[in-house]
Amino acid sequence: MTDTARAIEDQAIVLVGASGSGTSTVGRLLAAELGREHLDVDAVIAQRAGKSVPDIFIDDGEAAFRAIEESTTIELLERPAVLSLGSGAVLSESVRAALRGRQVFWLQVSAGTAAERVGLTAARPVGFGNVRGRLIQLLNLRAPLYAEVATSSVATDDHTADEVVGRILERLGG
Ligand SMILES: Nc1ncnc2c1ncn2[C@@H]1O[C@H](COP(=O)(O)OP(=O)(O)O)[C@@H](O)[C@H]1O
Ligand SMILES: O=C(O)C1=C[C@@H](OP(=O)(O)O)[C@@H](O)[C@H](O)C1
Ligand SMILES: [Mg+2]
């Protein structure tokens, strides 16, 4: 193995993207293909906290979650794993700085497909808010941040999770 190949093997492979882009699913499948550990930052946070991420939002508030997310993401980046980031992790300047120089794949998804994948397309009572509109807002806000940190981007709308894995493997091999 060349020094470059070994150096790349020691580095995390990071997946970023909006909710429903498939970062958790693709991360798990990619790690299995590569024989690497898979770490999903949300899952690690939930396991350490002893409660789910939505429960952390309700009990402790979003700011508390973001602080835990920032430190956990930066810590886990040091592992030679496939790392699935939460959709909002890139809001942190410290996380974006820690991602510089790393292999970061942006899984791109449209708001329509994201809404279908996370099961939020059904019409809802007005008081529940416009979920699809909120997804569009989030995508608009975060797309420039994903673009800033990504070294490669992969379209996912019309591709299965296995196809997305295949595209990433091609890029890693090339
Ligand atoms: N490329 C894909 N094509 C179709 N469905 C997908 C794809 N990627 C993920 N999914 C499905 O979309 C849902 C959300 O995926 P998930 O990996 O949890 O997304 P994220 O972690 O990015 O929010 C899951 O039901 C998953 O099976
Ligand atoms: O969009 C967000 O800010 C969030 C997305 C979630 O992760 P997914 O990207 O897996 O949906 C999770 O980190 C938390 O609920 C906050
Ligand atoms: Mg996820």
Side-chain angles (χ1 to χ4, degrees):
M1 196 190 297
T2 65
D3 285 351
T4 310
R6 196 172 296 110
I8 288 171
E9 281 223 332
D10 289 345
Q11 290 287 318
I13 297 170
V14 186
L15 304 182
V16 300
S19 281
S21 63
T23 48
S24 296
T25 306
V26 170
R28 180 173 46 79
L29 297 172
L30 179 65
E33 283 293 323
L34 293 170
R36 286 192 185 217
E37 181 183 23
H38 175 228
L39 294 169
D40 188 306
V41 177
D42 280 334
V44 171
I45 291 171
Q47 199 242 326
R48 289 178 180 177
K51 57 184 167 185
S52 71
V53 168
D55 279 348
I56 298 174
F57 267 74
I58 292 166
D59 293 349
D60 311 310
E62 178 169 354
F65 172 76
R66 293 297 175 205
I68 302 168
E69 180 179 47
E70 180 180 274
S71 59
T72 308
T73 302
I74 292 170
E75 172 203 328
L76 297 179
L77 274 173
E78 297 306 326
R79 305 251 287 261
V82 174
L83 187 61
S84 302
L85 266 53
S87 169
V90 294
L91 294 168
S92 156
E93 166 56 36
S94 304
V95 167
R96 297 202 301 281
L99 286 172
R100 275 178 215 132
R102 297 185 185 274
Q103 308 177 84
V104 182
F105 290 87
W106 172 16
L107 306 191
Q108 295 181 321
V109 69
S110 66
T113 300
E116 278 170 24
R117 288 191 189 151
V118 297
L120 298 174
T121 45
R124 286 182 157 68
V126 175
F128 282 20
N130 177 355
V131 175
R132 197 165 162 163
R134 182 80 186 115
L135 262 174
I136 292 171
Q137 272 180 356
L138 281 182
L139 275 175
N140 288 341
L141 185 77
R142 295 176 181 179
L145 304 177
Y146 299 134
E148 178 188 323
V149 298
T151 50
S152 192
S153 59
V154 183
T156 75
D157 268 13
D158 298 314
H159 301 284
T160 65
D162 283 324
E163 286 169 350
V164 174
V165 171
R167 296 293 299 280
I168 295 174
L169 289 172
E170 277 168 26
R171 311 240 181 125
L172 287 170

